[in-house]
Structure formats: C-alpha cells, structure tokens
Amino acid sequence: MFSIGEFASIGRVSVRMLRHYDEIGLLTPARVDPFTGYRSYDGRQFEVLGRILMFKDLGFRLDEVKQIVHAQVGEDRLREMLEAKRDDVARRLDLDAARLRRLDARLHYTEGDSSMITVDTKSLPATRIAAVTETAAGFGPQNIGPVIGPMYARLAEFLGRDGVEFGPSSIASYEAVDDGEGTGITVHAAFEVGPKVSAAEGYEVRELPPVELAVTTVHHGSMATIGETWEQFMAWIDTNGYELSGVCREFYPEPQPQENWVTELQQPVVRRQDA
C-alpha cells in the first residue's frame, strides 16, 4: 500500500489532484483509515491513474474520463468520443493556422505590402434565387463553416425533387439576429434559378436587388480561412475611400468540396464623402 504522498510522487500528480479525484469518485483510495482519514492506494491503481491522465491529456473533461475509466461506455461509444475529440482538435488547429496567417498578413500590411489581395469594382445585376435558411451561433468561420456546407446539399436535393434547374453558381449571405440576446446569425444559402421558378416546400424563391456599386475580391479555400481574406478586404475598402452600404454576398461560381471553394466576396459600397 502507498500513502497519498507516495502515490502522488510515483504517479507524478499532486496530492491535491488525488483528493479531488477521490471527491468526484474518479479514483478512490484502496483504503481510508476510519480514525485518521489517511488515504492509502494499491499498486494496481497506478494503471487507473495512468488512464485518467492519458484521457485528460487528450482533452476530455473529468466527467467524460470517469465514464471511460469506469467502463461506463462501450467500445463503439469510446471510438465515437475519440473521433469527435480529434475533429474538434483538427478544427481548432485549422482556426489557429488561419489566425497565424492573418497575423502574418497584418504584419505585411503594416510594412506597406498592399498586394495581398486583388480588388475589383463593379455593379451586381438583379438575381433570382432559391434559398434555405439556418441559424448559426455567431459570425466567424468556427460558427459558419459547419452550417453552410450541408445547406447546399439539402437545397440541391429539394430542387432536384421538384425538377428545378439551378446553378451552377451559388450565393450565401449572413444577417445578425435581433432576438433579445443578439448573439446568433441567420445564414442564407442559395442557388441561382430561372424566372419561372416558384417557392416550394423546403425553400423560398426571391429576387436579390441589383447593386449599383460593389467591390469584390476572391478567396480560395474553406470557410476556416476566409477570415484573413475578409480582414484584408475591409482594410482595402477603408484605405481606398469607400464605406459599406449593405450586407456582403459570398458568390461561388461552381460547386466544389469546401476545401477547394472559390468564393467571390461581393460587398456593396458607396464612396466616402471625404474621399
């Protein structure tokens, strides 16, 4: 038997941590002296402690670790939990990589590098669209990315069901939700359709009005990296004497896997009066 201090030293954890594990029922001592309250641990419990530390290091919460080490989840469920954790880590790595690229871009911008993106000005014609709508937790690729992709597949299925010819180009736009808390956003995913198409179950049909003046730039890749293009785009608009006058549209010339998307950002603007 090992005292709590010995067990902590050999297991390379703190005594405080072992006490906490005992309190939450994650790792209880093999024996507790009824008179002194001293905790003692069996040598076989080092294996349990090792599993606890392993799953904790993988990013699982202690309540999840407890379910795993106490065999409260089967092998299939454990695999699902590991795959979900891996996907979460991969998503955060993508976001951090995108943030790093934005930082590099901002450093280049402060050093006078204005050639990071190419921006055009043009008018946008009226466009008839069929659209579906969802709500995302907020702006930013971490919120929008998981929502927007499946919306197009669902819309294509609805239109195919009704025999509607559409695309190949598609459009997305985002609007803040005034729902009291004001944290969510409404996501619109749309395909261009012909003038005779009407709304049906699962989607709406409407006409986007023409835009007299818009500035546009192209982003290559998934929503996870669009933030850096957007920041450079906004900096260009401000530096060149424009101000925003409407909701930005994201225009996709043809359907592709998200990692290969070509997205034209179409931002309605007006000339700033002091420009």
Side-chain angles (χ1 to χ4, degrees):
M1 299 289 282
F2 299 88
S3 70
I4 190 171
E6 293 170 334
F7 192 78
S9 298
I10 297 171
R12 303 179 66 87
V13 295
S14 68
V15 169
R16 180 179 180 181
M17 184 178 293
L18 287 178
R19 288 174 176 158
H20 180 59
Y21 290 171
D22 182 16
E23 290 170 358
I24 65 175
L26 178 56
L27 178 60
T28 58
R31 180 177 180 274
V32 178
D33 189 290
F35 300 105
T36 64
Y38 288 164
R39 298 170 171 88
S40 299
Y41 293 82
D42 190 287
R44 290 170 296 183
Q45 292 183 287
F46 285 117
E47 181 183 355
V48 180
L49 177 61
R51 283 171 54 79
I52 291 171
L53 297 179
M54 176 185 67
F55 285 107
K56 183 181 175 186
D57 180 65
L58 291 175
F60 288 98
R61 303 187 311 270
L62 288 181
D63 62 316
E64 295 173 322
V65 174
K66 182 178 178 180
Q67 293 177 3
I68 295 169
V69 300
H70 288 187
Q72 295 173 350
V73 296
E75 287 298 319
D76 290 344
R77 175 56 182 154
L78 176 57
R79 182 172 183 82
E80 290 176 1
M81 294 172 71
L82 288 168
E83 289 176 343
K85 184 60 64 177
R86 185 192 182 285
D87 290 345
D88 181 58
V89 171
R91 180 182 60 82
R92 285 188 279 113
L93 283 173
D94 287 343
L95 292 174
D96 284 343
R99 186 174 292 111
L100 180 60
R101 288 192 294 270
R102 292 198 300 273
L103 286 167
D104 288 339
R106 180 56 57 182
L107 284 170
H108 292 155
Y109 188 81
T110 59
E111 293 166 359
D113 184 355
S114 59
S115 61
M116 295 175 291
I117 60 172
T118 299
V119 179
D120 294 320
T121 60
K122 62 183 179 183
S123 60
L124 304 177
T127 306
R128 191 167 180 80
I129 60 169
V132 291
T133 300
E134 290 284 352
T135 300
F139 286 98
Q142 71 276 17
N143 295 312
I144 293 173
V147 174
I148 188 69
M151 294 175 68
Y152 285 110
R154 189 169 76 252
L155 178 57
E157 183 179 347
F158 288 146
L159 295 174
R161 174 200 65 195
D162 297 335
V164 174
E165 294 186 6
F166 61 91
S169 59
S170 56
I171 298 171
S173 62
Y174 315 98
E175 300 175 79
V177 177
D178 186 9
D179 59 357
E181 294 183 3
T183 56
I185 66 165
T186 300
V187 180
H188 305 282
F191 286 116
E192 292 188 59
V193 294
K196 297 182 179 180
V197 177
S198 300
E201 182 180 356
Y203 59 93
E204 63 172 331
V205 174
R206 56 190 170 90
E207 188 164 292
L208 292 176
V211 175
E212 183 178 346
L213 178 62
V215 291
T216 67
T217 192
V218 175
H219 168 74
H220 296 271
S222 74
M223 292 296 99
T225 60
I226 201 170
E228 59 202 81
T229 303
W230 178 257
E231 288 187 10
Q232 295 169 31
F233 191 35
M234 291 298 102
W236 188 97
I237 290 171
D238 180 65
T239 301
N240 287 271
Y242 295 97
E243 62 183 41
L244 311 186
S245 64
V247 175
C248 183
R249 302 175 188 174
E250 293 178 356
F251 179 80
Y252 311 99
E254 59 184 46
Q256 296 189 56
Q258 188 175 156
E259 62 272 15
N260 298 325
W261 276 0
V262 176
T263 307
E264 183 180 78
L265 300 177
Q266 302 177 335
Q267 176 61 59
V269 294
V270 294
R271 266 289 182 185
R272 225 174 32 231
Q273 301 222 344
D274 61 354

